[in-house]
Amino acid sequence: MDTDALVETLRDAGLSPYQAEAYVTVLGLGTASATAVAEESGVPAPRIYDVLADLEAAGYVETYEQDTLQVRAHEPAEMLEDLQSRADRFEAAAEAVEQRWERPELDGTAVSVVKRFETVLDRARQFVGRADYRIQLSVTPEHFAALRPALVDARDRDVYVRASIHTGPDEPFPDRDLVEGACREARHRTLPAPFVALVDRQRTCFTHHPDSVEQYGIVVDDRTHSYVFHWYFLTCLWEPWETVYAAGDRGFPREYIDIRYCVQDVDPLLASGERLRVSVEGYDLETGERCSLTGRVADVVYTPEPPNGGTVDTALLGGQVALLVDRGDGQVTVGGWGSVVEDVEATRIVLERE
């Protein structure tokens, strides 16, 4: 440790700036006059006698008369014991802080603005760790790798994970091993994009791309705000880009977390005469309680209709989108995120042939 660092450490240990400078000087000189200590340490001469007296009272030095006032350092055992005691207390305090620390929620508000990307990434990792059924991501390969352990755990909990992984225009999609086992489907966006993590239709983390002029992050814990980010994700970060990885195949049964994709598949199948059944998990919109149901798909509902009788496209399904399900004792309408006029808001749909 150099002299400046030692002086700074002694100041942290409780010595005044002049005391620390004088004591380190005495250690270097061995035995010296008070005048020599003042000259070497930079302590003003009128102050040196009070400073040495305070150090002597604390047991750091001793003074004696020999024509002039002389000073020498005491054997440092007592001082070393004091420093070690302080170090032990600091270490114990650090351990106590670590044991008691728990990251607080950001003010308990629906939307919080933060300055550091690390805060956004850490909160995204926490949200992913608590996910129940759905995760949507817009990430770089590096950020996906940072979240991968939490994503693997989420997949083990049967959470449906979609990842839009963005790179530079000339950069290839990363190795398949990065995404395998950590997501259900991945697409490759060959343009820079913001970091987005949407979890369970409730929680969202967002921050601009690092090269953006505006640098801040947003943490959301609110369904309505998250719904806006969902449509941004769907239209800008997901739909236009090619699927480069999909777990499983397109046979039956098929699983959906977005009713719009379900309706896209169901509509032509019903038109060709297929008989289909669904198992639905979601929320009863009358009671707000979790519910599940099974039944035969009687019809699909979407407004507005595709122009000129065209095919159903996800971008056109910004209005009502629903399945009409016959449970045997009556029919119910099953909608998706943001459902208002339907009976059930689905969070997961499994489609099978009868």
Side-chain angles (χ1 to χ4, degrees):
M1 180 180 288
D2 62 26
T3 298
D4 290 341
L6 178 57
V7 169
E8 186 66 28
T9 302
L10 292 173
R11 289 176 61 181
D12 292 341
L15 296 186
S16 72
Y18 284 165
Q19 289 170 352
E21 294 282 1
Y23 181 63
V24 171
T25 299
V26 172
L27 288 174
L29 295 176
T31 298
S33 67
T35 303
V37 173
E39 291 175 352
E40 289 291 326
S41 66
V43 177
R47 293 291 312 279
I48 191 64
Y49 297 98
D50 291 337
V51 170
L52 294 177
D54 291 338
L55 288 173
E56 186 171 32
Y60 289 88
V61 302
E62 63 175 336
T63 62
Y64 58 95
E65 293 288 343
Q66 189 178 350
D67 296 330
T68 60
L69 185 70
Q70 301 290 307
V71 61
R72 65 182 178 183
H74 263 311
E75 203 282 325
E78 183 175 345
M79 183 225 178
L80 293 176
E81 182 180 354
D82 178 57
L83 287 176
Q84 187 60 54
S85 174
R86 290 175 182 270
D88 290 343
R89 292 201 300 274
F90 277 119
E91 184 176 359
E95 291 177 355
V97 169
E98 184 176 18
Q99 291 171 358
R100 298 183 185 189
W101 178 83
E102 182 176 341
R103 184 176 295 278
E105 294 297 324
L106 294 174
D107 300 330
T109 56
V111 180
S112 300
V113 179
V114 300
K115 294 182 178 179
R116 300 174 64 250
F117 171 73
E118 290 77 10
T119 302
V120 177
L121 182 63
D122 187 61
R123 191 52 56 94
R125 187 180 292 110
Q126 293 179 40
F127 289 167
V128 168
R130 303 203 305 263
D132 288 328
Y133 56 88
R134 173 181 182 146
I135 298 169
Q136 297 162 278
L137 295 174
S138 165
V139 288
T140 64
E142 293 75 20
H143 295 153
F144 188 94
L147 293 172
R148 193 178 192 283
L151 292 169
V152 171
D153 289 344
R155 289 291 297 128
D156 289 342
R157 299 193 305 272
D158 202 27
V159 176
Y160 199 115
V161 180
R162 280 180 174 160
S164 173
I165 298 180
H166 50 89
T167 66
D170 300 322
E171 298 177 27
F173 188 78
D175 191 89
R176 179 187 176 96
D177 290 344
L178 177 68
V179 296
E180 192 165 19
C183 71
R184 186 67 173 270
E185 186 177 357
R187 297 193 178 188
H188 183 200
R189 175 182 162 101
T190 55
L191 288 174
F195 174 94
V196 182
L198 297 106
V199 177
D200 289 345
R201 305 183 179 182
Q202 175 73 26
R203 292 175 288 275
T204 300
C205 296
F206 170 91
T207 189
H208 289 283
H209 187 272
D211 294 335
S212 172
V213 174
E214 297 179 330
Q215 292 297 317
Y216 62 87
I218 299 174
V219 177
V220 175
D221 190 356
D222 176 77
R223 281 174 59 87
T224 302
H225 288 86
S226 292
Y227 191 56
V228 175
F229 282 101
H230 162 71
W231 273 102
Y232 168 67
F233 176 87
L234 191 67
T235 57
C236 296
L237 306 176
W238 187 255
E239 273 297 307
W241 306 99
E242 179 185 358
T243 297
V244 292
Y245 171 79
D249 55 38
R250 289 294 292 163
F252 289 91
R254 298 180 188 176
E255 183 179 356
Y256 303 88
I257 57 169
D258 192 322
I259 196 166
R260 289 169 172 80
Y261 292 97
C262 182
V263 166
Q264 276 185 297
D265 286 350
V266 167
D267 191 48
L269 290 172
L270 288 179
S272 67
E274 291 272 9
R275 292 177 61 85
L276 304 169
R277 294 186 63 81
V278 289
S279 299
V280 178
E281 297 175 12
Y283 292 89
D284 185 313
L285 291 181
E286 184 175 352
T287 66
E289 300 295 325
R290 293 296 297 262
C291 68
S292 60
L293 63 94
T294 60
R296 181 178 60 83
V297 180
D299 202 356
V300 296
V301 179
Y302 46 88
T303 56
E305 294 278 345
N308 302 320
T311 59
V312 181
D313 183 85
T314 306
L316 297 173
L317 299 180
Q320 183 187 14
V321 184
L323 295 174
L324 190 61
V325 179
D326 186 346
R327 298 191 301 181
D329 59 353
Q331 294 185 340
V332 296
T333 52
V334 176
W337 190 355
S339 294
V340 176
V341 298
E342 293 80 14
D343 299 309
V344 173
E345 177 183 315
T347 58
R348 189 187 300 266
I349 302 170
V350 177
L351 178 69
E352 300 179 90
R353 285 193 174 108
E354 282 194 337

